Amino acid sequence: MSKKNQIGGVIKMQSIINCYATDRKNIGDSLSSPLNYFELPGAKIEKLDIRLPVKAEELEGKHIILGGGGLLFPRFLPEIATIINARKRKKLIAWGIGQQIYVRKKGKLFPREITDEAINSFDYSYLENFDLVGIRDFGILGYDWLPCASCMHKSFDKKREIKHEFVVFSHKKFLLNIENFPRLTNECNDMEKVLDFLGSGETVLTSSYHGVYWATLLGRKVLAFPFSSKFYTLKHKPNMYPVELWLRKKKSFIERLNFRYKNKFYFPSTNSWQSLLKDSPSYPESLEECRHKNQLYYSKVMEFMEL
């Protein structure tokens, strides 16, 4: 049964803001919100897009749930700072957020080889100001691992038949030029369609973080083409295409125009990807494990917020 704050005999409903990247052209972002899957009875829920300026007055008297997604990224830190410093807000909770490390050259972001040292020395100091923290980055000292809440999507309960040896699922900005296999990108906003696609492959070739995560939850083998540190912080690690090879590919004139002027696409090298498939792991227990972690955290949030 839900609880509500009661002041002077008047029942007052609690207000909760869920702040994340509400990008409908990136299905991983749009489905990373835990409040897509968990109810907070007796609370009024608002959504706030972290890609837009956050105003402190919007947060007054409200609890804040930040996440999910790779929100520990320079682009979002000013908004996170505003949330942290809002004096009249209530509880601040991180749910399944994580780091992203890139390298910048001449104002552009590029993939790079990510070392264990870089991952482990990432600055998580912003999280010291949170009241409750669960991060999707595994093995980070001092923080509880909490995988993306999208594992709770009901479409994972559907059984899927393998129809292809390989399928290719690209991030919309990091397109994999691997031909002769079924292809899809993370711009598709139909989760049932995406999971049907990923589940149809025995092995999924993907440059999408959520492509890796969801294919793993479906019990499929994965070869990932990583472009930031977030791929390396997954608990259930796929085979990885060496990211340092991405920058060695000689791009065509059209590809150079796309990346330089539109800053939209990056075409990674995919040479010799077949050689990396030996002993590709699968994790049939991963779905149950990730759901269990989110269910435990949900109970903790409910108790913490007295809902």
Side-chain angles (χ1 to χ4, degrees):
M1 183 176 293
S2 65
K3 299 178 182 178
K4 299 179 183 179
N5 290 340
Q6 187 166 345
I7 302 175
V10 178
I11 295 177
K12 182 180 179 182
M13 180 176 290
Q14 298 197 56
S15 292
I16 299 173
I17 292 179
N18 183 199
C19 186
Y20 66 106
T22 60
D23 185 357
R24 290 193 57 79
K25 292 187 177 180
N26 181 330
I27 190 171
D29 283 346
S30 64
L31 293 185
S32 67
S33 165
L35 301 191
N36 287 330
Y37 316 103
F38 294 101
E39 294 184 357
L40 299 177
K44 177 184 177 183
I45 307 299
E46 303 174 40
K47 291 185 178 181
L48 189 64
D49 192 342
I50 198 171
R51 298 173 301 165
L52 303 175
V54 175
K55 299 178 181 179
E57 55 267 28
E58 296 177 315
L59 313 177
E60 184 175 343
K62 300 172 183 177
H63 300 292
I64 313 296
I65 294 178
L66 187 70
L71 303 187
L72 298 179
F73 180 56
R75 176 185 176 186
F76 303 129
L77 294 185
E79 311 312 323
I80 294 177
T82 298
I83 292 171
I84 289 172
N85 295 323
R87 294 182 179 180
K88 295 184 179 181
R89 65 163 173 80
K90 292 187 177 180
K91 303 293 186 182
L92 178 56
I93 295 170
W95 192 320
I97 62 176
Q99 64 161 274
Q100 297 200 60
I101 301 172
Y102 295 78
V103 64
R104 186 176 292 276
K105 293 183 179 180
K106 296 181 180 180
K108 303 294 184 181
L109 293 175
F110 289 84
R112 70 169 184 184
E113 184 177 12
I114 304 298
T115 64
D116 289 341
E117 181 181 1
I119 291 170
N120 293 326
S121 63
F122 183 85
D123 183 9
Y124 288 96
S125 61
Y126 276 75
L127 297 178
E128 295 173 0
N129 299 283
F130 282 66
D131 300 298
L132 196 64
V133 175
I135 61 172
R136 70 184 192 181
D137 303 329
F138 179 72
I140 304 301
L141 187 64
Y143 295 104
D144 291 335
W145 171 63
L146 181 64
C148 178
S150 59
C151 64
M152 303 303 302
H153 199 287
K154 62 182 181 180
S155 291
F156 281 106
D157 297 323
K158 176 181 175 181
K159 299 296 182 181
R160 292 172 170 87
E161 177 185 353
I162 293 175
K163 301 177 182 178
H164 310 285
E165 185 177 9
F166 302 104
V167 295
V168 179
F169 186 73
S170 292
H171 187 286
K172 62 183 180 180
K173 292 186 179 180
F174 296 87
L175 301 176
L176 296 177
N177 189 23
I178 300 176
E179 299 180 353
N180 302 320
F181 303 125
R183 304 165 64 88
L184 192 66
T185 78
N186 69 339
E187 285 189 290
C188 176
N189 60 12
D190 183 336
M191 186 61 157
E192 185 85 9
K193 181 177 179 178
V194 168
L195 294 187
D196 285 348
F197 177 81
L198 295 173
S200 72
E202 180 179 1
T203 298
V204 177
L205 313 175
T206 182
S207 57
S208 159
Y209 174 91
H210 281 92
V212 175
Y213 181 54
W214 294 339
T216 300
L217 297 181
L218 291 170
R220 300 305 187 253
K221 300 175 183 179
V222 181
L223 175 60
F225 293 75
F227 59 85
S228 88
S229 62
K230 62 185 177 182
F231 290 83
Y232 296 85
T233 63
L234 286 156
K235 180 179 181 180
H236 307 99
K237 297 188 183 301
N239 275 355
M240 298 277 194
Y241 187 86
V243 70
E244 66 270 20
L245 298 181
W246 285 38
L247 299 181
R248 295 181 186 174
K249 182 188 176 189
K250 185 176 181 180
K251 294 181 284 296
S252 70
F253 176 71
I254 296 298
E255 289 173 345
R256 289 197 303 272
L257 283 179
N258 276 332
F259 187 69
R260 182 175 178 183
Y261 296 110
K262 297 181 181 179
N263 194 25
K264 185 176 182 181
F265 303 118
Y266 186 82
F267 292 80
S269 169
T270 57
N271 294 336
S272 304
W273 60 267
Q274 297 92 335
S275 65
L276 299 171
L277 296 175
K278 185 179 179 181
D279 301 323
S280 293
S282 63
Y283 302 92
E285 77 290 349
S286 59
L287 177 61
E288 182 179 354
E289 182 179 9
C290 291
R291 283 181 162 180
H292 181 63
K293 292 294 288 186
N294 273 275
Q295 288 161 345
L296 287 177
Y297 197 74
Y298 169 62
S299 297
K300 187 182 293 187
V301 169
M302 290 284 287
E303 181 178 358
F304 183 69
M305 300 179 72
E306 299 181 344
L307 293 172

